[in-house]
Amino acid sequence: MRRWLRLFAPLLALGLVAASCGDDGGGSGGGGDAAPGEYPRHETLYTSGGQWGPPSNWNPIMNWMYAPGTVGLVYETLFLYDPVAGEYIPWLAESGEWVSESVYELRLRQGVTWADGEAFDSADVVFTVELGRMPSVPYAPLWEWLETAEAVDTHTVRFTFSDPRYQQWANWVYFQPIVPEHLWRDRTEEDVTAGANENPVGTGPYRYLTHGEDRLVWEKREGWWAEEALGLEVKPRYIVDIVNPSNEVALGLLLQGQLDLSNNFLPGINEILEGDFGIVSYYDEPPYMLAANTTWLVPNTTREPLDDPRFRRALAFSINIPQIVEGVYGNIVAPADPTGLLPIWDEYIDRAVVDELGFSYDPDEARRILAEAGYEDSDGDGFVETRDGDPIELEIIVPSGWTDWMEAARVIAESASAVGINVTPAFPDYNALVDVRGSGDFDLLLNNERQVDVSPWLYYDYMFQLPIRDRQSTVNFGRYENEEAWELVQRLDDTPIEDPAAMLEITSQLQEIHLTEMPIIPLWYNGMWSQASTQVWTNWPAADPDSPGYVPTTWRGYFQRGAVLMLTELEPAGGN
């Protein structure tokens, strides 16, 4: 027991400091019109992990900035997509189908109303799609291949495509929230794409109540359509989402029962989950968490010697991934498949290609590839030079303060150096890293900007998208150019999601290119960090067949991935 006390005493102290800044767990602790004690503890769900600064935006169109919960708790999507079950769940839409190769028809659910009492109907869906004609709306590229969106009647919408992109559309119908035409029709493009939308009105189970510097409060509203239509009821009356103070403070609050669900990365959580602390996660053994995304090592393919695929393959074989998984993360992450595809996409992996071209930690193989490719240590300093005899000095960057990635970068640098590749870690602040990442002024970096989704299409779009721009803001940071691969990605986009055999035929070819050229190097699966306390709420999502299996996270984009259903399955702990 003393070992546990030594480990958690400082964390508990941090948690007590954070708690003293608010209240006894029942008050708002924030601002607005809420008073301390207003939220009965047994009716309130405290969450954290999605906000790193005070909430300031409730605009569902700005899908990279809105306060977590804006989409899912207030604004809703046509479908949910459950990545665990691999299936769509009809939501605002009762059904949707391709009635021909280029026409998709959507049947909307009847009896749905906006929170202000106005009826939800097909005009709202058409209006939301039409907003994409504004160039600054994130889904504006939709109109490059969508011809028309028309309301056939009040509950039927027909979409006609000039060039149907089945994969992108499969993503849009579950990911993009619908907004009310009657409240948005007079907004300017600046309002639509940059407005804070301080008074959000949606069709979802909660309404915005208040917020402060350190939290955001949602309140359950009466008349949510799913109560009557689907027999669903969200259990918490209030959801208080805490701005992340730090991972250590979040851990202290969780252990005290002042935080119910932490979606933070929590150091040492493996030991806590194995102890008797009333903290649970999705699995009861390593890696404990579902996989949310893949961490890749991204080499700048425009810089020597990283422009040489043989050098990149040698680098891949040099990386001690087991040390990262075990030493840095304590086995709460899992090594990535050589393709990098998440476990939910196993059916799209060609195992014959992986067996032939895959990689693993093998320093001898890394040295062999370097020697065969002409990289030698001619001056005896322990590091190979370029084939022209010039020194190689590479830098791997990750954001300062991202402690797990900082330690992983050190492991990568040390293991690469052990085979003769001179790599040094560096930790710029996040904004500086984003700047050099976009401009291409870097050697190596870590990145994980693709989440679980309906298919691997977005993953390959990230890896191979062309053309290369002056600033690469969201994809292909390594500036890798391969026209054949990009054409295959577009063919994948044109393949119906209902045809996995045709998709596998294309992904097999993409995997052969990837594992031969190594434009990015998959390392490990980041966990869907989800640690829950059972002190106030129970029946958390888990892999146990007797438990709900929905994704247990409140990050942006995850309520429409089924996390909203988690709220309907929660049960008060005994005695509350």
Side-chain angles (χ1 to χ4, degrees):
M1 177 58 75
R2 289 196 187 99
R3 183 170 66 92
W4 292 107
L5 290 174
R6 286 199 304 272
L7 176 62
F8 296 121
L11 300 180
L12 290 171
L14 284 169
L16 290 168
V17 169
S20 70
C21 297
D23 51 58
D24 62 0
S28 73
D33 56 6
E38 185 175 350
Y39 314 124
R41 185 65 183 94
H42 68 284
E43 294 183 301
T44 305
L45 179 72
Y46 283 84
T47 64
S48 184
Q51 301 186 85
W52 290 91
S56 61
N57 184 296
W58 294 264
N59 186 335
I61 301 299
M62 301 171 69
N63 57 23
W64 64 99
M65 289 184 65
Y66 62 72
T70 299
V71 177
L73 301 184
V74 178
Y75 297 97
E76 297 184 298
T77 53
L78 297 166
F79 294 87
L80 304 181
Y81 180 73
D82 180 354
V84 178
E87 61 186 21
Y88 285 89
I89 300 171
W91 208 238
L92 291 179
E94 284 187 337
S95 63
E97 64 175 332
W98 290 94
V99 296
S100 73
E101 288 187 359
S102 59
V103 177
Y104 182 89
E105 283 195 353
L106 199 64
R107 185 68 184 168
L108 303 180
R109 199 178 295 279
Q110 299 188 38
V112 178
T113 59
W114 297 96
D116 62 2
E118 291 288 321
F120 161 83
D121 60 24
S122 55
D124 297 307
V125 176
V126 171
F127 173 79
T128 301
V129 175
E130 290 281 351
L131 285 178
R133 293 188 184 275
M134 296 178 176
S136 57
V137 167
Y139 53 89
L142 178 68
W143 283 98
E144 295 174 6
W145 42 278
L146 174 62
E147 193 171 283
T148 61
E150 56 182 321
V152 177
D153 57 43
T154 55
H155 292 93
T156 307
V157 185
R158 179 180 297 138
F159 302 91
T160 303
F161 295 85
S162 56
D163 178 19
R165 308 284 178 86
Y166 298 107
Q167 302 282 320
Q168 289 192 58
W169 186 246
N171 176 277
W172 198 93
V173 296
Y174 94 84
F175 196 80
Q176 182 58 47
I178 306 301
V179 298
E181 180 191 23
H182 67 283
L183 296 178
W184 284 62
R185 66 165 66 99
D186 295 327
R187 299 190 184 192
T188 65
E189 182 170 354
E190 183 177 2
D191 290 334
V192 168
T193 60
N197 192 43
E198 293 95 339
N199 298 301
V201 175
T203 56
Y206 289 87
R207 70 180 184 95
Y208 163 77
L209 182 60
T210 188
H211 77 279
E213 287 295 306
D214 72 335
R215 62 192 61 196
L216 168 65
V217 184
W218 306 102
E219 181 182 34
K220 182 178 176 179
R221 73 177 184 88
E222 299 298 323
W224 182 40
W225 61 268
E227 293 178 4
E228 181 176 340
L230 300 176
L232 297 174
E233 180 186 3
V234 291
K235 299 308 193 303
R237 181 180 174 191
Y238 301 99
I239 297 177
V240 180
D241 191 42
I242 306 295
V243 174
N244 289 317
S246 73
N247 293 341
E248 290 78 10
V249 170
L251 177 55
L253 293 173
L254 186 69
L255 287 166
Q256 296 170 69
Q258 295 195 41
L259 188 61
D260 299 305
L261 175 64
S262 171
N263 294 133
N264 303 66
F265 165 73
L266 299 181
I269 192 64
N270 55 314
E271 296 187 29
I272 295 169
L273 291 169
E274 292 168 2
D276 186 20
F277 293 92
I279 307 299
V280 297
S281 194
Y282 197 83
Y283 299 111
D284 59 7
E285 60 184 22
Y288 302 108
M289 322 283 174
L290 290 163
N293 52 62
T294 305
T295 297
W296 305 299
L297 179 64
V298 181
N300 186 337
T301 63
T302 67
R303 290 189 170 181
E304 189 182 14
L306 296 170
D307 59 348
D308 182 353
R310 295 172 297 178
F311 187 90
R312 298 194 295 264
R313 274 186 62 81
L315 182 60
F317 277 99
S318 79
I319 299 171
N320 193 341
I321 298 174
Q323 184 179 345
I324 295 173
V325 169
E326 298 167 17
V328 175
Y329 284 101
N331 290 306
I332 65 171
V333 303
D337 184 87
T339 66
L341 294 193
L342 293 165
I344 62 168
W345 297 328
D346 276 350
E347 64 181 309
Y348 303 113
I349 297 176
D350 188 330
R351 287 297 166 198
V353 171
V354 174
D355 290 345
E356 179 185 357
L357 299 173
F359 67 95
S360 61
Y361 175 52
D362 188 338
D364 290 338
E365 179 65 7
R367 295 186 187 96
R368 187 196 67 78
I369 295 172
L370 288 171
E372 187 177 87
Y375 296 95
E376 299 178 350
D377 176 14
S378 57
D379 60 7
D381 66 350
F383 298 116
V384 299
E385 288 83 43
T386 69
R387 285 169 293 174
D388 294 330
D390 297 323
I392 296 173
E393 297 177 350
L394 301 175
E395 184 177 76
I396 177 172
I397 56 173
V398 301
S400 177
W402 292 29
T403 54
D404 52 331
W405 278 21
M406 291 168 68
E407 288 304 311
R410 292 188 179 100
V411 172
I412 292 167
E414 290 169 4
S415 52
S417 296
V419 303
I421 301 174
N422 188 1
V423 178
T424 303
F427 311 122
D429 70 58
Y430 180 75
N431 290 332
L433 183 143
V434 169
D435 183 59
V436 298
R437 183 180 69 188
S439 65
D441 188 18
F442 69 93
D443 297 323
L444 299 161
L445 56 80
L446 296 182
N447 192 249
N448 66 331
E449 294 190 3
R450 282 293 181 264
Q451 306 291 317
V452 294
D453 203 1
V454 297
S455 86
W457 170 76
L458 273 174
Y459 177 93
Y460 288 115
D461 179 70
Y462 170 93
M463 194 189 308
F464 295 118
Q465 189 183 110
L466 295 177
I468 303 298
R469 296 169 174 81
D470 289 341
R471 292 199 63 82
Q472 294 288 100
S473 59
T474 58
V475 295
N476 198 353
F477 296 121
R479 297 171 176 256
Y480 174 73
E481 296 191 61
N482 187 315
E483 292 288 350
E484 178 189 0
W486 179 230
E487 288 174 9
L488 286 167
V489 173
Q490 294 174 90
R491 274 183 53 199
L492 182 60
D493 194 6
D494 294 339
T495 303
I497 199 84
E498 300 81 7
D499 192 349
M503 291 173 62
L504 176 59
E505 181 181 348
I506 297 169
T507 59
S508 172
Q509 297 175 70
L510 287 167
Q511 287 155 27
E512 185 170 355
I513 294 171
H514 171 208
L515 293 175
T516 301
E517 294 281 309
M518 299 304 290
I520 62 176
I521 301 172
L523 301 178
W524 69 88
Y525 298 133
N526 274 302
M528 198 179 292
W529 313 128
S530 304
Q531 300 91 182
S533 167
T534 58
Q535 293 188 41
V536 179
W537 296 97
T538 62
N539 203 36
W540 293 98
D544 186 323
D546 294 328
S547 301
Y550 305 117
V551 296
T553 186
T554 60
W555 295 336
R556 292 180 189 87
Y558 277 78
F559 280 113
Q560 60 263 53
R561 289 181 171 102
V564 67
L565 296 172
M566 167 183 67
L567 303 176
T568 70
E569 298 280 359
L570 291 178
E571 297 174 358
N576 285 310

